[in-house]
Amino acid sequence: MEWSDVRIFLATVRGGSLGEAARSLGVSHPTVGRRVKALEDEAGQPLFRRTKDGLVLTDAGDAVLALAESMENSALSMERRLAGNHERLEGILRISSADWFAGYVLAPVLAELGRRHPAVVPEVIASYRLLDLSRRDADVAFRIVPFSEPEIVQRRLMTMPYGLYGSAETVCALENDPASVGLILMNTAQAHFPDVAWLLDRFPRSRRAFTSTSRTVQAQMCVRGVGVAVLPRPVGDALAGLQRIDTSNSPPSREVWVGYHQDLRHMDRLRAMLDLAEAMLSDAPMSAR
C-alpha cells in the first residue's frame, strides 16, 4: 500500500465523500475514485459503503483505518524531522494566529524576519481556529490558551493588555446614559471569554449590539459608533477614531502562548522567528527551548 493511496483513503474517511477528498487534496474527483477502487481491489473487498449521508467505512475499512493513521503519523513525523534539519534559512514558515495578533502585534516581527532573512517566506494563517500542529497545519501557533498536546513545545510569550474603547460619539453617549450604549461582544461560542463577562457585568442594562469572532471586525464596528468594545490595546490604540475609556478597573488581560511541534525544534527559520518574537514582544525570559 503506497502512502499516496493512504492519504486518499484518509481524506475520503474524513471528508465523507470522494468530492470532499478531492477538494482537500487538490486532485480530481476521478483520481480519488480510481485510487479508492484500487485500494479496494487490493484488499479484495469494499472499504466504503454508500449511504444517504455519504461514504462510511465497512468493517474491512474500519480495520484498515488504524493502520492508515499509523502510516500517516510516521510520514508526518518524517516530514517534520526533515523540515527541522533544514540547514539554510529559506522556505515557507506557516504561522497560525488570530487576525488581530498577526496584523497589529506580529507584523513588525515578520517584517524584521524578512529584512534579515529574505529567503524565508512567512505564511500567516489568520484564524481563531486551533490548528493541528502535529499534522503540520502550521509550523508554529500563537494563541491565548496553553497547548494541551504533550508533543508541543510551548512557552508564555507575553501578557496582552485589553482596554475599553468607543468612538467620540459613543463616549459622549456613555457619559450621559450608559444604558443607551450598545455592547460589541464575541460570538456565543466565545461567550466564556473573560472580557465578555467583564463588559456584561459593567453594563448590565446595555443591549448587545453586535457580535463577532474577529477583534478586527469588532474594532471597525466600534469606530462606526455601534457601541463600546473590549479590544487588545495594540488594536484599539492603533485605530484613528477610537478612544480608550478610563475605568476604575481595567478589562482582564490575557496570556499569549507560542507553541510548535517538538520535531521542529531544530528548524532554523522557526528559531530565527521565535528569537525575534522574544526580543521584540516577550515580557518574560525564554523558558522553553
Side-chain angles (χ1 to χ4, degrees), residues 25-159:
L25 296 173
V27 299
S28 69
H29 189 291
T31 296
V32 173
R34 284 195 303 271
R35 298 320 306 161
V36 168
K37 185 178 185 307
L39 280 173
E40 292 181 323
D41 290 344
E42 185 178 342
Q45 53 193 316
L47 300 179
F48 296 95
R49 61 185 176 86
R50 287 172 173 78
T51 72
K52 61 183 179 61
D53 297 320
L55 296 178
V56 298
L57 288 172
T58 62
D59 288 344
D62 195 53
V64 169
L65 179 59
L67 297 174
E69 289 177 334
S70 177
M71 183 181 288
E72 178 188 45
N73 289 335
S74 297
L76 290 172
S77 179
M78 180 180 295
E79 181 183 339
R80 289 191 302 265
R81 289 181 183 275
L82 289 173
N85 288 329
H86 209 299
E87 294 182 355
R88 293 187 295 173
L89 282 171
E90 65 177 17
I92 293 175
L93 181 64
R94 291 187 290 270
I95 303 161
S96 170
S97 80
D99 59 345
W100 66 266
F101 189 83
Y104 291 91
V105 181
L106 203 55
V109 175
L110 300 182
E112 181 63 15
L113 179 68
R115 188 186 69 78
R116 297 188 187 189
H117 308 290
V120 176
V121 181
E123 180 180 282
V124 174
I125 306 164
S127 170
Y128 66 90
R129 292 191 307 110
L130 303 182
L131 300 185
D132 190 341
L133 297 180
S134 298
R135 296 186 185 280
R136 294 286 313 273
D137 290 343
D139 298 318
V140 60
F142 296 85
R143 65 194 212 187
I144 57 175
V145 291
F147 298 79
S148 58
E149 304 89 335
E151 69 273 16
I152 300 302
V153 179
Q154 65 176 312
R155 68 172 289 264
R156 189 184 67 81
L157 178 68
M158 63 187 298
T159 300

Side-chain angles (χ1 to χ4, degrees), residues 82-249:
L82 289 173
N85 288 329
H86 209 299
E87 294 182 355
R88 293 187 295 173
L89 282 171
E90 65 177 17
I92 293 175
L93 181 64
R94 291 187 290 270
I95 303 161
S96 170
S97 80
D99 59 345
W100 66 266
F101 189 83
Y104 291 91
V105 181
L106 203 55
V109 175
L110 300 182
E112 181 63 15
L113 179 68
R115 188 186 69 78
R116 297 188 187 189
H117 308 290
V120 176
V121 181
E123 180 180 282
V124 174
I125 306 164
S127 170
Y128 66 90
R129 292 191 307 110
L130 303 182
L131 300 185
D132 190 341
L133 297 180
S134 298
R135 296 186 185 280
R136 294 286 313 273
D137 290 343
D139 298 318
V140 60
F142 296 85
R143 65 194 212 187
I144 57 175
V145 291
F147 298 79
S148 58
E149 304 89 335
E151 69 273 16
I152 300 302
V153 179
Q154 65 176 312
R155 68 172 289 264
R156 189 184 67 81
L157 178 68
M158 63 187 298
T159 300
M160 179 59 60
Y162 284 64
L164 180 65
Y165 292 88
S167 66
E169 294 78 5
T170 300
V171 171
C172 183
L174 189 65
E175 293 172 350
N176 295 327
D177 181 11
S180 69
V181 174
L183 305 182
I184 299 173
L185 301 163
M186 300 298 289
N187 281 12
T188 303
Q190 286 78 38
H192 61 283
F193 280 18
D195 60 276
V196 175
W198 183 92
L199 198 55
L200 291 173
D201 182 66
R202 189 167 187 86
F203 300 99
R205 297 173 54 210
S206 296
R207 62 185 176 84
R208 296 170 184 254
F210 183 80
T211 68
S212 174
T213 58
S214 170
R215 298 290 190 185
T216 304
V217 175
Q218 290 178 18
Q220 288 300 321
M221 299 303 288
C222 197
V223 168
R224 285 160 176 76
V226 172
V228 293
V230 172
L231 300 170
R233 285 191 49 182
V235 178
D237 291 351
L239 288 177
L242 282 186
Q243 298 180 17
R244 183 152 47 90
I245 303 166
D246 291 330
T247 56
S248 56
N249 63 314

Side-chain angles (χ1 to χ4, degrees), residues 243-261:
Q243 298 180 17
R244 183 152 47 90
I245 303 166
D246 291 330
T247 56
S248 56
N249 63 314
S250 299
S253 59
R254 300 298 298 270
E255 305 298 326
V256 176
W257 295 79
V258 57
Y260 55 93
H261 196 281

